[in-house]
């Protein structure tokens, strides 16, 4: 049960076993997970271990208590409950109501001083206070979950259980020994934990907010030790994970009495009563937070939505948070998430000057909010809000101007944007050049109808600001600077791929936002440990 890493003052093991496959795994390229677990700095997690054992004690104490229903009123029918839950959703609140909680916040768990002295904890050393069987070691359980993610599997109990049972090197590096078949099944703390114990560990960690705290700690360490260097920009986007639930379509009337419908997960109860229709326990959503996510006109996903924020130059994800209601529009999730990330990592707020997002955030009010409340510039991909090109009242020889503000001439050339003249409120464009530098107009068959002068630099046109009302003259998306900045935005797609494909799975195996947030946190912990290792 001893970890290969020892602290000063700790006695070295009398016998140090060297396993041949350990040496092999330490030397293989794909063995990052093994090296990270082998050299795991467990002493950095002693505070969390103390908090975990406290939470476990509380969990076991509460498990013995019966929860009694508090109200004696007539029970709510399932149909009533469905509508109550529907109108409680953040995407359903009216405009007069207080602004809904966009980001999932979980239960507020106050970080109290642990009653267990963290300094007395070590791998295999559990606090003596707990009665009954010796609990499974926190460090071993933590390593099992993180190691599972490092190997590219979802860090969920079923997967951890499978790997511990089938991969002896993994079980051993986590500090567990397999149960031997021919021996009597006596309980030992060092035996590989049962699936039920893994589920309990995950649940205690989740409910005590410990996955989140460890994640914040990992990111903070990477920011302070130079693994992550400061950048001037943040980039964000949302992504979906497929829900482990089904939905039903509810019909209701909106404020104006108009018939509407919305998809929602089914209602359920957590009690073990025989008859749910008459028992007094509350109806809840079976998969709170799940909703329909519209990817395109033909693609709709039933899932959970996460907002991801990272640093574009290094391509490093800093945070991933569950959205309270997956049906929330992307334009609403970015501001609260940036605010939360800057609050959580104060060193970032010193360097961040600009944030990048896709066209979902191309909104003047939102840009002003970023500027006024955070002092940050929001740069979003241009959303023209129209699909048809402009074809009337155009300069001679110009066939159309695309919704993105690009004129196309009758010979089919796209004109280059040159700048604006504020004095006469016009955008200036020029005909493009061939690769050899010669203007396309010089040998153009349309030249006679279009260019009327022997102009070597080709046709120049001006377009009034009024012709393109969708374009902000102070920040035109045709400008080179705009394009150069927005070229960094897609790096967030690669961060999402890392988190969703390389370190977990896009199909969830649990319901509810609490589990979803924990899933994101576990993935982020593995991601930042890997970053530190590769640094
Ligand atoms: Zn009940």
């Amino acid at each position: 049960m001893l970890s290969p890493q020892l602290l000063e003052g700790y006695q070295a093991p009398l016998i140090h076993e060297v396993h041949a496959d350990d040496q092999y795994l330490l030397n293989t390229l794909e063995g990052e997970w093994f090296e990270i677990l082998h050299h795991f700095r467990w002493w950095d997690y002693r505070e969390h271990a103390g908090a975990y054992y406290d939470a476990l004690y509380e969990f076991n104490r509460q498990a013995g208590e019966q929860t009694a229903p508090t109200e004696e009123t007539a029970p709510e029918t399932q149909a009533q409950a469905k509508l109550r839950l529907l109108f409680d959703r953040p995407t359903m609140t009216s405009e007069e109501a207080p602004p809904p909680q966009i980001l999932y916040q979980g239960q507020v768990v106050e970080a109290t001083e642990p009653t267990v002295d963290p300094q007395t904890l070590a791998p295999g050393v559990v606090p003596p206070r707990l009665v009954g069987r010796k609990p499974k070691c926190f460090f071993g359980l933590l390593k099992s979950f993180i190691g599972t993610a490092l190997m590219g599997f979802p860090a969920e109990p079923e997967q951890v259980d499978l790997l511990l049972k089938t991969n002896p090197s993994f079980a051993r590096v986590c500090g567990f020994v397999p149960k031997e078949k021919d021996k009597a099944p006596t309980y030992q703390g060092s035996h590989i934990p049962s699936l039920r114990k893994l589920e309990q560990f995950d649940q205690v960690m989740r409910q005590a907010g410990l996955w989140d705290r460890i994640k914040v700690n990992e990111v903070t360490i990477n920011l302070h030790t130079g693994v992550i260097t400061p950048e001037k920009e943040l980039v964000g986007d949302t992504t979906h994970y497929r829900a482990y639930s089904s939905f039903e379509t509810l019909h209701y009337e909106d404020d104006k009495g108009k018939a509407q419908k919305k998809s929602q997960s089914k209602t359920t109860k957590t009690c073990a009563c025989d008859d749910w229709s008459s028992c007094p326990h509350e109806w809840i959503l079976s998969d709170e937070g799940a909703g329909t996510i519209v990817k395109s006109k033909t693609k709709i996903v039933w899932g959970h939505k996460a907002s991801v924020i990272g640093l574009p130059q290094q391509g490093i994800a800093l945070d991933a948070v569950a959205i309270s209601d997956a049906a929330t529009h992307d334009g609403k999730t970015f501001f609260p998430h940036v605010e939360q990330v800057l609050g959580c990592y104060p060193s970032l707020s010193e360097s961040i000057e600009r944030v990048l997002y896709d066209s979902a955030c191309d909104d003047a009010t939102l840009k002003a909010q970023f500027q006024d409340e955070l002092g940050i510039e929001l740069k979003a991909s241009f959303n023209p809000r129209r699909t048809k090109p402009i074809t009337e009242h155009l300069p001679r020889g110009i066939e159309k101007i695309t919704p993105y503000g690009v004129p196309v001439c009758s010979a089919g050339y796209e004109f280059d944007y040159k700048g604006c003249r504020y004095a006469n409120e016009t955008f200036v464009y020029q005909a493009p050049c061939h690769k050899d530098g010669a203007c396309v107009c010089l040998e153009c068959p349309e030249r006679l109808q279009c260019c009327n002068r022997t102009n070597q630099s080709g046709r120049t046109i001006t377009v009034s600001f009024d012709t393109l009302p969708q374009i902000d003259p102070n920040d035109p998306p045709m400008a080179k600077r705009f394009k150069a900045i927005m070229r960094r935005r897609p790096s967030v797609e690669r961060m999402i791929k890392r988190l969703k494909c390389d370190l977990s799975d896009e199909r969830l195996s649990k319901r509810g936002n609490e589990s979803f947030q924990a899933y994101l946190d576990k993935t982020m912990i593995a991601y930042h440990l890997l970053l530190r290792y590769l640094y």
Side-chain angles (χ1 to χ4, degrees), residues 69 269-282:
K269 293 197 180 193
T270 51
C271 63
C273 303
D274 285 333
D275 184 10
W276 279 353
S277 65
S278 64
C279 88
H281 303 106
E282 198 177 37

Side-chain angles (χ1 to χ4, degrees), residues 1 45-61 114-118 120-131 133-142 176 189 201 204-205 208 210:
M1 199 68 203
Y45 300 84
R46 279 186 295 199
E47 291 285 336
H48 300 121
Y52 165 74
Y53 289 119
D54 273 353
L56 177 66
Y57 180 75
E58 188 59 23
F59 178 85
N60 287 333
R61 198 182 59 77
T115 51
V116 176
D117 177 9
T120 62
L121 300 172
V125 184
V126 298
R129 185 193 63 185
L130 299 155
V131 288
R133 279 177 170 182
K134 191 178 167 190
K136 291 290 175 189
C137 168
F138 166 83
F139 302 99
L141 290 162
L142 178 68
F176 297 118
F201 173 74
V204 171
M205 291 289 283
L210 282 167

Side-chain angles (χ1 to χ4, degrees), residues 66-88:
Q66 288 286 327
T67 45
T70 45
E71 282 174 52
E72 285 293 313
T73 49
E76 184 184 36
T77 68
Q78 191 171 12
Q80 287 167 340
K82 281 178 187 174
L83 286 177
R84 170 179 59 80
L85 291 163
L86 176 71
F87 286 103
D88 277 352

